[in-house]
Amino acid sequence: MMQNTTITKFLAQHLQGEHAVALAAMLGDIIAACKQIAVAIDSGALVGNMGSLGSENIQGEVQKALDVITNDIFIECNQRSGYVAGMASEEMGNFIEIADKHKKNGQYLLLFDPLDGSSNVNVNISVGTIFSILKSPSKKPELADFLQPGSAQICAGYALYGTSTMLVLTTGNGVNGFTLDSESGEFYLTHPNMQLAEDTQEFAINMSNYRFWQAPVQRYIDECLQGDEGSRKKDFNMRWVASMVAEVHRILVRGGVFMYPSDNKSKSGKLRLMYEANPMSFIVEQAGGAATTGFQRILEVKPSGIHQRVPVMMGCKREVDRIIKYFQAK
Ligand code: AHG
Ligand code: MN
Ligand code: MN
């Protein structure tokens, strides 16, 4: 093995400040959860995990068996440390309060998408888990305590269950990526200090929604498609995995922009602010990129609900700045 820094060693060396002890404990539980989720996804059809349940989640989406299994794993693992006062997830209508079994006085809120890209589960394409940690204003959290802007996050990360299982995270001091060694069950630091390229020639958007987009988004994509014959004077490449985690990970590794804009069908886009857009925006900004709704930095959006949706355009800074300009010119 080339790498010898385990994630536990890395966190012990790098976590600093008032949240260090709590973050080490909470991240230890998140790591355990992601390992269990990797196993559940990996076993897939062998153990009958692949189907849809008859149920719908709060957003009217049909729940897959794995949506519910991964949600349960995340809750179970993360109530252990005693630091988590409450949790909210894509798969639960309301937040849950965590009983303080361990008498450590939970002081943090954990928001998560346990299985991102779940439409890809049945076709064996990458999926992920996204999480965000906030300081809880009270030890008995109420809804208003959760509704903090993304700039208040003290930690965010994602697990990517792809050709390798990876964990990528930030505590506001850069972005680091770890790869799971399935033999030892350890995550090792493989992607230290991830940095986004300044520029790109690659975009990711669901083109089938083209006719519903707002004019600035159509303009940006039109210009990319015109390639070296248009005003951009260079050819662009396109990707669409339909798993935000896979998309953002690709952008962190080789540059690009990822867009799920608002459109005439769904005024505020598809992605959820608190457990998709905010944690991913925190990571992208920490890697030197930018994330916008078109009108506002995503991390400054004041949330009005746990499941609120938001337009998302994130990635290489120059491209995002260009998109913002097109919105301003509208
Ligand atoms: P989830 O599976 O958690 O509901 O999220 C899926 C999201 C996101 O990961 C992805 O970018 C987008 O939905 C894909 O949307 P399309 O179905 O329009 O491709
Ligand atoms: Mn998702
Ligand atoms: Mn999900």
Side-chain angles (χ1 to χ4, degrees):
M1 172 95 44
M2 278 155 53
Q3 285 73 24
N4 55 17
T5 306
T6 64
I7 193 166
T8 317
K9 184 173 162 193
F10 179 89
L11 293 173
Q13 286 171 347
H14 289 85
L15 289 177
Q16 288 169 351
E18 54 168 325
H19 306 300
V21 174
L23 276 178
M26 289 188 286
L27 284 169
D29 289 344
I30 287 169
I31 291 163
C34 293
K35 283 188 204 170
Q36 282 188 36
I37 291 174
V39 171
I41 291 167
D42 193 41
S43 329
L46 293 174
V47 291
N49 273 354
M50 306 300 270
S52 292
L53 301 173
S55 54
E56 288 184 353
N57 68 12
I58 182 74
Q59 295 149 82
E61 298 163 340
V62 176
Q63 285 180 308
K64 298 233 170 11
L66 271 172
D67 283 320
V68 174
I69 292 166
T70 54
N71 194 58
D72 290 349
I73 292 173
F74 217 78
I75 294 170
E76 172 58 30
C77 290
N78 288 293
Q79 56 191 356
R80 294 176 191 159
S81 70
Y83 287 105
V84 180
M87 296 189 209
S89 143
E90 179 186 344
E91 302 305 331
M92 304 187 292
N94 295 316
F95 71 89
I96 51 172
E97 194 187 322
I98 305 300
D100 193 5
K101 284 190 224 155
H102 306 280
K103 305 278 182 264
K104 280 187 193 152
N105 296 324
Q107 292 165 7
Y108 296 88
L109 303 173
L110 179 60
L111 296 98
F112 56 96
D113 175 357
L115 187 63
D116 174 63
S118 52
S119 71
N120 280 327
V121 155
N122 294 16
V123 287
N124 205 352
I125 292 176
S126 300
V127 291
T129 298
I130 310 172
F131 65 89
S132 163
I133 300 176
L134 295 166
K135 183 91 175 67
S136 182
S138 87
K139 287 173 187 165
K140 255 185 103 48
E142 294 174 6
L143 177 61
D145 296 330
F146 282 84
L147 303 181
Q148 304 178 41
S151 55
Q153 293 172 102
I154 60 163
C155 177
Y158 62 79
L160 170 61
Y161 314 103
T163 45
S164 310
T165 292
M166 284 193 67
L167 199 70
V168 172
L169 54 93
T170 185
T171 55
N173 192 17
V175 180
N176 290 282
F178 305 83
T179 302
L180 182 64
D181 170 30
S182 50
E183 271 175 43
S184 65
E186 281 281 5
F187 278 99
Y188 287 91
L189 178 66
T190 48
H191 295 61
N193 191 22
M194 297 173 87
Q195 290 283 333
L196 251 128
E198 290 218 335
D199 248 325
T200 184
Q201 299 183 213
E202 195 163 274
F203 65 90
I205 194 165
N206 184 340
M207 283 293 294
S208 68
N209 292 324
Y210 181 93
R211 69 186 192 282
F212 304 114
W213 298 336
Q214 294 178 304
V217 177
Q218 288 181 335
R219 175 180 170 193
Y220 177 78
I221 297 297
D222 284 346
E223 289 177 1
C224 292
L225 294 176
Q226 283 154 12
D228 67 1
E229 291 164 25
S231 59
R232 301 300 308 269
K233 301 211 174 342
K234 59 180 182 180
D235 288 333
F236 279 76
N237 191 13
M238 195 200 91
R239 288 286 184 275
W240 187 249
V241 184
S243 288
M244 184 189 201
V245 168
E247 232 86 63
V248 171
H249 186 70
R250 186 186 63 246
I251 284 168
L252 284 171
V253 171
R254 70 175 192 200
V257 276
F258 166 73
M259 308 171 74
Y260 216 114
S262 65
D263 56 45
N264 301 335
K265 276 191 305 183
S266 55
K267 283 275 176 273
S268 27
K270 179 177 185 189
L271 299 173
R272 278 61 52 116
L273 174 64
M274 302 218 61
Y275 42 79
E276 291 177 321
N278 271 344
M280 291 314 218
S281 298
F282 190 19
I283 291 167
V284 164
E285 283 198 5
Q286 282 292 315
T292 183
T293 66
F295 299 101
Q296 191 181 11
R297 184 177 164 229
I298 289 176
L299 292 182
E300 286 172 5
V301 174
K302 176 84 186 85
S304 55
I306 283 176
H307 300 289
Q308 170 182 353
R309 293 174 197 262
V310 71
V312 170
M313 286 157 267
M314 61 170 64
C316 294
K317 188 157 180 350
R318 277 194 204 137
E319 295 298 314
V320 175
D321 285 347
R322 175 183 286 269
I323 295 164
I324 293 169
K325 266 200 220 123
Y326 290 0
F327 272 89
Q328 286 166 348
K330 207 171 72 154

